[in-house]
Amino acid sequence: MSKIILKSVMFQGQVRDILISGKKFSKVFRPLTPKDFDKAEIVDCSGLAILPPFYNGHCHAAMTLLRGYADDMPLQEWLQNHIWPFEGKMTPKDIEIGSRLAVLEMIKSGTVFFADMYWHRERTMKVVKEMGIRASIGVTFAQGLMTNEAIENNFKFIKDHKFESDRVKLAVMPHSIYMVGEALFKRCAKTAREEEMILHTHLSETAKEVKDCKKKDGCSPVELMDRYGVLGDNFVAAHCVHLSEQDMALMAESGSAAVLNPCSNLKLNSGIPKIPKMLDSGMLVALGTDGASSNNNLDMHEEMKVASLLAKALGKADILNADDALKMATASGAMAYGVEAGVIAEGFLADALLVDLKNERLNPRHNLVSNWVYAADSSAIHSVICDGKFVMKNRHIDGEEDIVREAEACAKSIASRC
Amino acid sequence: MSKIILKSVMFQGQVRDILISGKKFSKVFRPLTPKDFDKAEIVDCSGLAILPPFYNGHCHAAMTLLRGYADDMPLQEWLQNHIWPFEGKMTPKDIEIGSRLAVLEMIKSGTVFFADMYWHRERTMKVVKEMGIRASIGVTFAQGLMTNEAIENNFKFIKDHKFESDRVKLAVMPHSIYMVGEALFKRCAKTAREEEMILHTHLSETAKEVKDCKKKDGCSPVELMDRYGVLGDNFVAAHCVHLSEQDMALMAESGSAAVLNPCSNLKLNSGIPKIPKMLDSGMLVALGTDGASSNNNLDMHEEMKVASLLAKALGKADILNADDALKMATASGAMAYGVEAGVIAEGFLADALLVDLKNERLNPRHNLVSNWVYAADSSAIHSVICDGKFVMKNRHIDGEEDIVREAEACAKSIASRC
């Protein structure tokens, strides 16, 4: 089993040596012995601090190709005249190129996991495997956009690829209650339960969705999920902007998780998530970035800070403190997706950030977590570790210039054909 | 006169050569002649784009020393038990050290100007002169905290130091309507008018301030400013969270400017600024960071993105577009403080950012301004130019490690005595 020793790394205010054995942290709090150093790769981490990395609970990775393609317009105009025509031209190869830019951006901004809802999943899976991070890759269902055969192929794909890899797992992702009807939604939920998979959907993103649901089904979207038997600890709902207190109680009691995407929700005028009430309800709340066409980045640090600010603005100055905000962006996302990571502790998967303590925004160091959450940005990130391996060292990822160049050429080519 | 040619720099979608002569842009749109190259310093800017830099309309620079010292608690506890005791121990030398860390952080995040309200102004002025950026340095008035002699000395200082330097100008800064009474406020306003100086104050930051003002004076804080004769095109009010439509009309008609500090306002639960209505009123709206003890950084890019998101969340998805958000964080701040800069154009002061077009968040490049405003962070900034000189080249500032180290030691020492 491979061994890495993070030598002289700052952790919780003390300089320590941390041992990673294989994919896990094996010594964090206990002192290392001479035997631990046998055949270990020793990485000098003096001047660096270790922190948990980000787990992005909701995104559409390949949509990085649409970053800045259309902004600042009403939702329907944005979708119909710009986003959909562009997406209509995207080939599987384009999706691979867009996913690669997305994973590059995620690693550089400290993210080691993302949940992805998109098309041509095998391309995104390939990129994630190559680049060394984790993902929960959606088998996406959307009626109207798919033939019955495509839907059946989805279910077949799930059976065939369930145990795809340690780092890349499949999840069942019916798009939303307005794109997937009752029968298919229930079948998705049944499959997810039987195969022990995560079920992920967009839920209560806009006031219109809630209103339409009440009109059609006589209940809120969360209540509809309850009626369908979808709620449970394998259920992760993206957005959840417009939850009632009853909705929150249902989510909390069932062990369901919400993934908030505050930057996207604000930018698209979908609403401001009611973070203080969600926290009060006891439900599991994690964070995501949504796609780069509506954010316009995949920076979980930004979501963490914005979520924390909104919580304080809507509630009180003393809620969602720095430690809790960090947990929301890290361990809570890992927990929602069943990844045993997001905590720097023995027995957990060895995922981590190393931040540069010389960075001006991490100083003075009255409180490193506060500095990281409220003051820093991605410029403080020095290295990123996932699954016991460095996926970025000293701010550089092999081949990054090529990834950026290829994505630029690809996006320009698609745009020229729209 | 010194000449710099920015060779092969991307500007508004085209690769150009830009000539800076002395402190100003002298050729931006026109082609350069062989004579322009005579004795010019030629800087290869291929792969870089030029953008206007940030103008921070409200901060308390030396409070970087309190970054992360106290967070996530009610305002009164925060001020009385943490911030004030720490500030009580700060010497002029400490303020110099804190200001130096602040200016370092500002340059690294693309800011070339700040308006500063604090104490021991001569120390902050010294730092700004040394480090090459611009500032409007407050002569701060706060009754109760100052003797009459100190107040008279302030007025004397104004007379003696008015024309301090091109880059460093004084401004008259009565703290707020609750720290400065009618007579002194009026005297401040008269002095500012006579000496052609900016008058800057905190205004309508909290609901309590507005309520107290209505109770005591029977009007809103902006109406009180109107009654005092303070409003006008040399008046810049920080915060303006709780303005009525009547307040906005008064500000707009008088040519007064508001500087919003959304991150600080949200974090301290002061409220969410009503950006859409302010924009509708036609008033000049700029941005600031407030101090690092309540933000917790001096990153104008973050304020720009958060302001843009809040505008869309409170208004519609198509307001405060990327160009307008960029203007709010750049040219509008310069305009509020009477600095002829913030626009990359001939005749304007040569202040600029160079961003690295290889940065993953600036790609694909459907729209560079959108990418910069919505997707990037400070990691995309390559170099910073102020007053015709590079103040940062290739992400490095001479002596930055020492500045950080000195600030850390200084802050720890103060904290140990609190």
Side-chain angles (χ1 to χ4, degrees):
Chain A
M1 189 155 57
S2 70
K3 290 197 296 184
I4 296 179
I5 290 171
L6 306 176
K7 182 89 192 128
S8 307
V9 69
M10 175 77 75
F11 177 61
Q12 296 185 349
Q14 288 184 31
V15 174
R16 298 168 194 259
D17 300 336
I18 289 180
L19 177 65
I20 296 170
S21 302
K23 299 166 183 242
K24 294 190 173 178
F25 290 113
S26 62
K27 286 195 177 180
V28 173
F29 299 97
R30 293 174 294 165
L32 269 53
T33 61
K35 204 180 149 213
D36 291 325
F37 283 82
D38 259 11
K39 296 182 189 159
E41 181 195 349
I42 296 169
V43 181
D44 178 14
C45 296
S46 46
L48 305 176
I50 190 168
L51 286 166
F54 297 117
Y55 296 77
N56 183 346
H58 180 68
C59 85
H60 313 283
M63 291 184 86
T64 48
L65 291 184
L66 289 104
R67 190 200 318 276
Y69 181 63
D71 291 298
D72 308 320
M73 55 186 78
L75 187 69
Q76 283 309 312
E77 183 191 342
W78 177 72
L79 276 175
Q80 288 174 8
N81 299 347
H82 302 275
I83 302 301
W84 290 342
F86 189 104
E87 286 188 307
K89 304 278 184 195
M90 283 168 73
T91 65
K93 179 68 185 167
D94 298 336
I95 284 173
E96 180 176 329
I97 290 169
S99 297
R100 200 170 278 121
L101 179 64
V103 173
L104 172 67
E105 183 190 337
M106 286 194 258
I107 296 173
K108 294 206 94 170
S109 55
T111 292
V112 299
F113 166 92
F114 64 105
D116 198 58
M117 187 191 285
Y118 213 60
W119 309 104
H120 298 293
R121 68 189 84 89
E122 66 286 356
R123 298 301 184 121
T124 307
M125 290 162 80
K126 172 174 177 273
V127 168
V128 177
K129 282 183 206 164
E130 285 169 8
M131 294 185 73
I133 67 168
R134 307 179 188 283
S136 181
I137 300 287
V139 178
T140 305
F141 293 85
Q143 284 167 319
L145 300 181
M146 295 169 76
T147 62
N148 284 338
E149 191 191 350
I151 288 171
E152 293 309 320
N153 283 343
N154 265 1
F155 285 112
K156 188 168 181 311
F157 191 91
I158 289 170
K159 299 269 184 205
D160 294 347
H161 294 80
K162 221 183 84 181
F163 300 108
E164 185 65 24
S165 95
D166 257 19
R167 286 190 283 109
V168 183
K169 297 203 189 300
L170 292 178
V172 185
M173 299 199 187
H175 179 277
S176 56
I177 58 169
Y178 51 89
M179 298 282 274
V180 174
E182 179 169 352
L184 181 56
F185 221 118
K186 283 180 170 170
R187 189 174 164 200
C188 285
K190 183 164 176 283
T191 300
R193 255 195 322 275
E194 285 172 1
E195 306 290 340
E196 297 185 344
M197 293 168 76
I198 295 292
L199 187 89
H200 182 57
T201 194
H202 296 104
L203 199 72
S204 281
E205 180 174 2
T206 62
K208 180 177 185 305
E209 178 189 337
V210 177
K211 195 177 153 197
D212 290 350
C213 184
K214 286 192 172 160
K215 192 169 169 190
K216 181 168 167 283
D217 296 295
C219 65
S220 75
V222 174
E223 287 163 352
L224 193 67
M225 292 294 93
D226 188 34
R227 195 189 292 171
Y228 287 179
V230 166
L231 300 184
D233 59 12
N234 72 327
F235 180 58
V236 184
H239 299 300
C240 297
V241 178
H242 297 277
L243 300 193
S244 67
E245 290 190 29
Q246 164 69 5
D247 290 339
M248 294 176 199
L250 282 170
M251 294 282 288
E253 282 159 21
S254 61
S256 303
V259 173
L260 312 183
N261 304 258
C263 290
S264 170
N265 298 147
L266 270 61
K267 185 158 184 285
L268 296 177
N269 184 246
S270 302
I272 303 178
K274 303 166 191 163
I275 304 175
K277 286 194 174 164
M278 287 187 196
L279 296 175
D280 282 349
S281 78
M283 64 192 281
L284 180 60
V285 180
L287 295 174
T289 59
D290 211 353
S293 56
S294 63
N295 184 322
N296 296 351
N297 60 35
L298 305 171
D299 184 350
M300 284 289 291
H301 190 283
E302 204 169 89
E303 301 297 329
M304 173 172 71
K305 179 152 183 187
V306 170
S308 165
L309 294 180
L310 292 175
K312 293 171 212 304
L314 300 179
K316 288 197 226 167
D318 55 355
I319 65 166
L320 199 63
N321 65 28
D323 288 316
D324 291 342
L326 181 61
K327 193 177 162 213
M328 189 183 274
T330 59
S332 296
M335 195 183 296
Y337 282 92
V339 184
E340 289 180 352
V343 182
I344 311 295
E346 289 159 19
F348 280 78
L349 288 165
D351 295 356
L353 298 183
L354 299 174
V355 296
D356 184 350
L357 292 169
K358 292 192 306 297
N359 186 283
E360 61 281 357
R361 300 199 195 183
L362 297 183
N363 284 280
R365 285 205 304 281
H366 297 301
N367 181 334
L368 178 63
V369 172
S370 164
N371 285 354
W372 170 238
V373 171
Y374 296 129
D377 71 358
S378 76
S379 66
I381 300 173
H382 180 279
S383 296
V384 180
I385 298 168
C386 182
D387 217 38
K389 292 199 173 67
F390 278 84
V391 291
M392 178 170 86
K393 250 189 187 170
N394 201 8
R395 302 190 54 71
H396 186 77
I397 296 171
D398 284 344
E400 61 179 274
E401 295 80 4
D402 293 336
I403 294 172
V404 168
R405 202 161 27 230
E406 196 176 28
E408 163 70 358
C410 171
K412 279 279 157 63
S413 162
I414 299 170
S416 73
R417 286 177 277 126
C418 285
Chain B
M1 189 154 57
S2 70
K3 289 199 294 185
I4 296 179
I5 291 172
L6 306 178
K7 181 90 192 123
S8 307
V9 70
M10 174 77 75
F11 176 62
Q12 296 184 351
Q14 289 183 31
V15 174
R16 297 167 193 259
D17 299 336
I18 290 180
L19 176 65
I20 297 170
S21 301
K23 298 167 185 243
K24 293 189 174 179
F25 290 113
S26 62
K27 286 194 177 181
V28 173
F29 298 97
R30 294 174 294 165
L32 268 55
T33 62
K35 204 180 150 213
D36 291 326
F37 283 83
D38 260 11
K39 295 183 189 157
E41 181 194 349
I42 297 170
V43 182
D44 177 15
C45 296
S46 46
L48 305 177
I50 190 167
L51 286 166
F54 298 117
Y55 296 78
N56 183 346
H58 180 68
C59 85
H60 313 283
M63 291 183 87
T64 48
L65 291 184
L66 288 103
R67 189 200 319 276
Y69 181 63
D71 291 298
D72 307 319
M73 55 186 77
L75 187 69
Q76 283 310 312
E77 183 191 342
W78 178 71
L79 277 175
Q80 287 175 10
N81 299 345
H82 301 275
I83 302 302
W84 289 342
F86 189 104
E87 286 187 307
K89 304 278 183 194
M90 283 167 72
T91 65
K93 178 69 184 166
D94 298 334
I95 284 172
E96 180 177 330
I97 291 169
S99 297
R100 199 169 279 121
L101 178 65
V103 174
L104 171 67
E105 183 189 337
M106 286 193 259
I107 295 173
K108 293 207 93 171
S109 54
T111 292
V112 299
F113 166 90
F114 64 105
D116 198 58
M117 186 192 285
Y118 213 61
W119 310 104
H120 299 291
R121 67 189 84 90
E122 65 288 355
R123 297 302 185 121
T124 306
M125 291 162 79
K126 172 173 177 274
V127 167
V128 177
K129 284 182 204 165
E130 286 168 5
M131 294 185 72
I133 66 167
R134 307 180 188 284
S136 181
I137 300 286
V139 178
T140 306
F141 293 85
Q143 284 167 318
L145 300 180
M146 295 169 76
T147 62
N148 284 340
E149 191 190 351
I151 288 171
E152 293 309 321
N153 283 343
N154 264 1
F155 285 111
K156 188 170 181 312
F157 190 91
I158 288 170
K159 299 267 183 206
D160 294 347
H161 294 79
K162 220 182 85 178
F163 299 109
E164 184 65 22
S165 95
D166 258 18
R167 287 190 283 107
V168 183
K169 297 204 189 298
L170 292 179
V172 186
M173 299 200 187
H175 179 278
S176 57
I177 57 169
Y178 49 89
M179 298 281 275
V180 174
E182 179 169 355
L184 181 56
F185 220 117
K186 285 180 168 168
R187 189 175 162 198
C188 285
K190 184 164 176 282
T191 300
R193 255 195 322 276
E194 286 172 0
E195 307 288 341
E196 297 184 345
M197 293 167 75
I198 296 291
L199 187 88
H200 182 56
T201 193
H202 296 104
L203 198 73
S204 281
E205 180 174 1
T206 63
K208 182 179 184 302
E209 178 189 336
V210 177
K211 195 177 153 197
D212 290 350
C213 184
K214 286 193 170 159
K215 192 170 169 189
K216 180 168 167 286
D217 296 295
C219 65
S220 75
V222 173
E223 288 163 351
L224 193 67
M225 293 294 92
D226 188 35
R227 193 188 293 170
Y228 287 179
V230 167
L231 300 184
D233 60 12
N234 72 328
F235 180 57
V236 184
H239 299 299
C240 297
V241 178
H242 297 277
L243 300 194
S244 67
E245 290 189 29
Q246 164 69 5
D247 289 339
M248 295 176 200
L250 282 170
M251 294 282 289
E253 283 158 21
S254 61
S256 303
V259 172
L260 312 183
N261 304 259
C263 291
S264 171
N265 298 147
L266 270 61
K267 185 159 185 279
L268 295 178
N269 184 246
S270 302
I272 303 178
K274 302 164 192 166
I275 303 175
K277 287 195 172 164
M278 288 188 196
L279 296 174
D280 283 349
S281 78
M283 63 192 281
L284 180 61
V285 180
L287 295 174
T289 59
D290 210 354
S293 56
S294 63
N295 185 323
N296 296 350
N297 59 36
L298 305 171
D299 183 350
M300 284 289 290
H301 189 284
E302 204 169 270
E303 301 297 331
M304 173 171 70
K305 177 152 183 186
V306 170
S308 165
L309 294 179
L310 292 175
K312 293 170 211 305
L314 299 180
K316 288 197 225 167
D318 55 355
I319 65 167
L320 199 62
N321 66 26
D323 287 316
D324 292 342
L326 181 61
K327 192 176 162 214
M328 188 183 273
T330 59
S332 296
M335 194 183 297
Y337 283 93
V339 184
E340 289 180 351
V343 182
I344 311 295
E346 290 159 19
F348 280 78
L349 288 165
D351 294 358
L353 297 185
L354 299 174
V355 296
D356 184 351
L357 291 170
K358 292 191 308 297
N359 187 282
E360 61 282 356
R361 299 199 196 183
L362 297 183
N363 285 281
R365 285 205 305 279
H366 299 300
N367 181 333
L368 178 63
V369 171
S370 164
N371 285 354
W372 171 237
V373 171
Y374 296 131
D377 71 358
S378 76
S379 68
I381 301 173
H382 180 278
S383 295
V384 179
I385 298 167
C386 182
D387 216 39
K389 291 198 173 70
F390 278 84
V391 291
M392 178 170 85
K393 249 189 188 171
N394 200 7
R395 301 189 57 71
H396 185 78
I397 296 171
D398 284 343
E400 63 179 274
E401 294 80 3
D402 293 338
I403 293 172
V404 168
R405 203 163 22 232
E406 196 175 29
E408 163 70 358
C410 171
K412 279 279 158 64
S413 161
I414 299 170
S416 73
R417 285 178 276 127
C418 285

